[in-house]
Amino acid sequence: MSRNNIWVHLTIALTLVLIAALVGGVRHWRRGPQRSSQPVSRPEPTPDSQENDADEQDDADKAEVLVRFRPGTTREAIDRIVAQFHDQVEDRIESVDGLDVIEDEDGKSAADVVAQYRALAEVEYAEANSEITLDHEDTGAKHVHANDEMFSRQWGLANNGANGGKAGADIRAMWAWAVTKGSDQIVVAVIDSGVDYTHPDLVRNIWTRPEIIKAYRDDDLTSAEGIDDVHGLNLVDDDGDPMDTNGHGTHCAGIIGAEGGNGFGIAGVNWSVKIMPLRFMDSDGAGTTRDAIEAVNYVIDRKRAGVNVRVISASWGSTARSRALEDVIRKAYDEGILFVAAAGNASTDNDQTPHYPSSYNLGNMVSVAALNRNDQLASFSNYGAKSVNVAAPGEEILSTWLDHGFSEKKGTSMATPFVAGVAALILSQNPKMSVDDLRAKLLKSVDPIDSLKGKVSSGGRINAAKAVGAE
Amino acid sequence: MGPNAQPVTAQALIQARSDLARRLGVDENEITEGLVEPAEFPDGALGAPVEDEMSAQVITPGWRIHLKANDKTYEYRASDRQLRLFSFNGENYRI
């Protein structure tokens, strides 16, 4: 090797070392939530693996959570708790009493660390840190990246073009979240097969009847004392337990409001919301028109009793028209409740062959078609230039399922809760918005899509960011 | 039974034969199996809703089961949860 060659090789070697150092540094600096694509449970690491993991962990892999301790918890007590959990206080948010940024030091996931702190009486709340970045187009608009483990598979919320999809063919949820992630003051009724209200990604966003609201009474269904509708109603068995035995309602509920930013599972359109489960379909996924009417009637009753239920998500239907169902949905309109309904899966034109309830021409009705991950109308989706209003993601949709699991499903059933979820996001900003304005806001904030011209009345896919004023 | 038939279809097939024999008033031996094929149905009612029925608008995987009797073909629809008779004299039935 000549002297010149030695210098060339040395220069190359030094450059490579510098690049490696820079890459490592950037990774270290970009401390953000870590995601994986598959896990559906929260496995407890063994003591051995914890030790090994911790040894190998760099800062980028460490879970980071925001914990607010209750007033009266001393600094010493906080430090003791943090030390017991083998964590460390990374930062203190001085403007908010008791709010600390805590970093895990023993290899636990963000979800586990959050759960650990939430279990303590001294803790008011604990939540996983989220990454907020400037968008790639450098427009200055901010977006929020969910740290939920399977978020990368939720193309309907954030489509990066993976798996043959089209980048940007999504509802722009991350941009909307920079403005609002929802509110636990907004109640969305999911009239369906019930909801697994114990699912770990839903349990914190399930509606519970406040003590000041009296138990539900319906002389046709209940005893004189009423039904203990603690979380909703079960019209199949005429009781107060709306537990899902099919999975469909749990799936729809997760799209609307699986807890976001908890480092676990998926993110809902709303990170925070209250889901009111109603069960009128059985374990086969079918129910009677009468029970559907009773379910809407229940929602109206609860609204009148003081529950802030403003949206009904209805991922069901048939081609049989019922004047009684139409009447009760009209009554919901009078009460200021939006009714979001699936357009149907027969690949047919609802203007020619109506599908109900979505084809009722009512002021609170939003009929929803389904899109695939390429912004194309899904092959199964019904459409209708006059009678179907908007489209939303409805193929390969990952959401919560029975047995505390997750599953991918397709149908206008899945598109519907995306729209109901965006309606709830809008209401989280403006709780007093009228149902007419809410419907108009949803329809006017769509992204126009070529494949939807002449197929839906708005001509577009819902856009959560536009709907909440983030774009 | 077709090559794609799963154990759940075998159960559905037994149930379907029995149901059709009862409806037609014939012996089960007079019923022959036609094609059994996997299918995707448009909803929770397997595209065969009965009167006054609403169903989940989710694509539901299952099987079409064709049975023959008296020179006519009858279509049953099965999922892992249920069995339906499709358009029997113009009516759907939940078995």
Side-chain angles (χ1 to χ4, degrees):
Chain A
M1 190 180 292
S2 72
R3 183 178 289 268
N4 283 344
N5 279 346
I6 288 170
W7 282 112
V8 168
H9 283 274
L10 274 173
T11 305
I12 291 170
L14 273 171
T15 306
L16 286 172
V17 167
L18 273 170
I19 289 171
L22 274 171
V23 168
V26 166
R27 184 160 174 252
H28 188 86
W29 166 70
R30 274 181 54 98
R31 180 173 298 158
Q34 301 297 303
R35 296 176 300 282
S36 61
S37 59
Q38 284 296 334
V40 294
S41 61
R42 306 182 191 196
E44 290 294 331
T46 63
D48 284 348
S49 71
Q50 278 182 12
E51 198 174 303
N52 293 337
D53 287 350
D55 286 341
E56 292 169 8
Q57 222 177 7
D58 67 14
D59 282 356
D61 295 325
K62 291 178 181 174
E64 202 172 79
V65 298
L66 294 155
V67 180
R68 187 170 188 194
F69 293 89
R70 292 189 189 282
T73 311
T74 63
R75 230 27 275 175
E76 291 72 26
I78 292 171
D79 290 342
R80 196 167 52 247
I81 290 166
V82 170
Q84 275 173 358
F85 287 154
H86 307 292
D87 299 336
Q88 68 172 21
V89 175
E90 182 77 1
D91 194 11
R92 287 175 181 154
I93 311 297
E94 290 80 4
S95 60
V96 181
D97 289 340
L99 180 58
D100 288 358
V101 181
I102 293 175
E103 188 176 80
D104 173 68
E105 293 292 331
D106 55 2
K108 286 191 173 61
S109 70
D112 287 340
V113 179
V114 165
Q116 218 169 22
Y117 282 94
R118 279 180 183 168
L120 298 177
E122 294 92 340
V123 170
E124 188 174 333
Y125 61 80
E127 58 193 32
N129 192 14
S130 306
E131 187 181 21
I132 299 180
T133 54
L134 289 176
D135 74 13
H136 304 301
E137 293 148 13
D138 201 23
T139 61
K142 284 181 178 175
H143 69 264
V144 174
H145 201 115
N147 67 355
D148 302 75
E149 288 167 307
M150 290 182 276
F151 180 63
S152 62
R153 290 171 59 189
Q154 293 186 268
W155 70 264
L157 299 177
N159 190 341
N160 61 8
N163 299 319
K166 178 182 169 189
D170 56 52
I171 71 162
R172 304 283 286 176
M174 294 200 303
W175 279 258
W177 292 336
V179 174
T180 175
K181 297 178 187 127
S183 163
D184 63 4
Q185 300 303 303
I186 306 299
V187 182
V188 178
V190 177
I191 298 180
D192 210 287
S193 59
V195 175
D196 180 356
Y197 46 79
T198 68
H199 194 294
D201 223 8
L202 291 172
V203 65
R204 286 168 57 84
N205 285 345
I206 297 292
W207 175 77
T208 300
R209 178 170 54 80
E211 284 183 15
I212 56 165
I213 305 285
K214 285 184 179 171
Y216 182 62
R217 276 199 62 183
D218 181 328
D219 292 339
D220 295 335
L221 301 175
T222 65
S223 62
E225 298 81 37
I227 279 180
D228 186 12
D229 56 327
V230 59
H231 293 308
L233 196 63
N234 177 348
L235 278 310
V236 177
D237 301 318
D238 288 350
D239 62 32
D241 184 2
M243 178 54 77
D244 189 5
T245 58
N246 174 278
H248 183 265
T250 301
H251 201 271
C252 294
I255 295 166
I256 295 166
E259 185 184 354
N262 63 354
F264 172 70
I266 61 164
V269 173
N270 295 263
W271 291 20
S272 176
V273 69
K274 287 300 172 194
I275 304 281
M276 176 192 281
L278 280 297
R279 179 174 187 246
F280 90 100
M281 293 192 289
D282 59 18
S283 56
D284 289 347
T288 66
T289 304
R290 183 218 161 142
D291 283 346
I293 291 166
E294 294 282 7
V296 179
N297 187 59
Y298 171 85
V299 176
I300 292 168
D301 180 275
R302 300 292 76 181
K303 177 76 162 48
R304 288 174 176 167
V307 178
N308 190 32
V309 53
R310 295 294 315 278
V311 182
I312 291 173
S313 189
S315 289
W316 41 271
S318 88
T319 53
R321 180 169 194 157
S322 159
R323 290 286 301 276
L325 180 59
E326 184 176 3
D327 282 347
V328 77
I329 297 171
R330 184 181 290 110
K331 192 57 73 179
Y333 176 42
D334 295 342
E335 295 294 330
I337 300 168
L338 190 75
F339 196 96
V340 187
N345 300 333
S347 312
T348 52
D349 184 349
N350 285 4
D351 292 354
Q352 305 298 320
T353 309
H355 180 271
Y356 301 105
S358 62
S359 290
Y360 294 132
N361 185 18
L362 297 170
N364 60 339
M365 179 63 65
V366 180
S367 173
V368 186
L371 289 166
N372 65 19
R373 62 169 78 225
N374 284 296
D375 259 349
Q376 300 295 314
L377 189 69
S379 59
F380 55 77
S381 180
N382 287 5
Y383 52 91
K386 293 176 184 168
S387 59
V388 179
N389 303 121
V390 293
E395 264 195 37
E396 301 174 279
I397 303 300
L398 180 70
S399 188
T400 42
W401 196 250
L402 300 182
D403 300 323
H404 296 182
F406 298 85
S407 184
E408 277 189 10
K409 298 292 171 191
K410 60 181 173 181
T412 50
S413 272
M414 284 63 245
T416 300
F418 274 101
V419 179
V422 173
L425 274 186
I426 295 169
L427 289 168
S428 74
Q429 283 186 300
N430 189 349
K432 300 289 184 192
M433 183 180 278
S434 73
V435 65
D436 291 328
D437 290 347
L438 177 60
R439 184 176 184 276
K441 186 80 151 175
L442 279 170
L443 270 51
K444 284 179 183 169
S445 56
V446 298
D447 279 337
I449 304 292
D450 285 345
S451 71
L452 296 176
K453 281 180 186 163
K455 299 288 187 184
V456 302
S457 64
S458 68
R461 175 201 354 96
I462 53 158
N463 181 321
K466 283 184 188 171
V468 300
E471 285 186 350
Chain B
M1 195 180 298
N4 294 313
Q6 304 294 316
V8 67
T9 338
Q11 182 61 37
L13 199 50
I14 292 166
Q15 209 180 340
R17 285 175 68 100
S18 167
D19 180 75
L20 188 59
R22 186 183 55 76
R23 285 179 195 279
L24 298 177
V26 300
D27 192 278
E28 283 190 37
N29 293 330
E30 295 175 45
I31 296 170
T32 57
E33 291 171 21
L35 188 64
V36 178
E37 56 183 352
E40 284 194 331
F41 300 112
D43 52 42
L46 310 183
V50 299
E51 191 178 354
D52 190 35
E53 187 179 45
M54 295 286 175
S55 65
Q57 295 302 299
V58 61
I59 301 298
T60 306
W63 300 268
R64 277 195 176 83
I65 299 170
H66 298 277
L67 299 180
K68 293 178 183 171
N70 301 336
D71 295 326
K72 286 182 73 174
T73 301
Y74 300 89
E75 181 180 330
Y76 283 81
R77 297 180 175 186
S79 73
D80 58 356
R81 295 171 185 266
Q82 58 174 316
L83 177 68
R84 288 175 186 247
L85 172 56
F86 176 69
S87 193
F88 179 82
N89 295 330
E91 295 281 328
N92 300 321
Y93 294 90
R94 198 172 172 179
I95 313 300

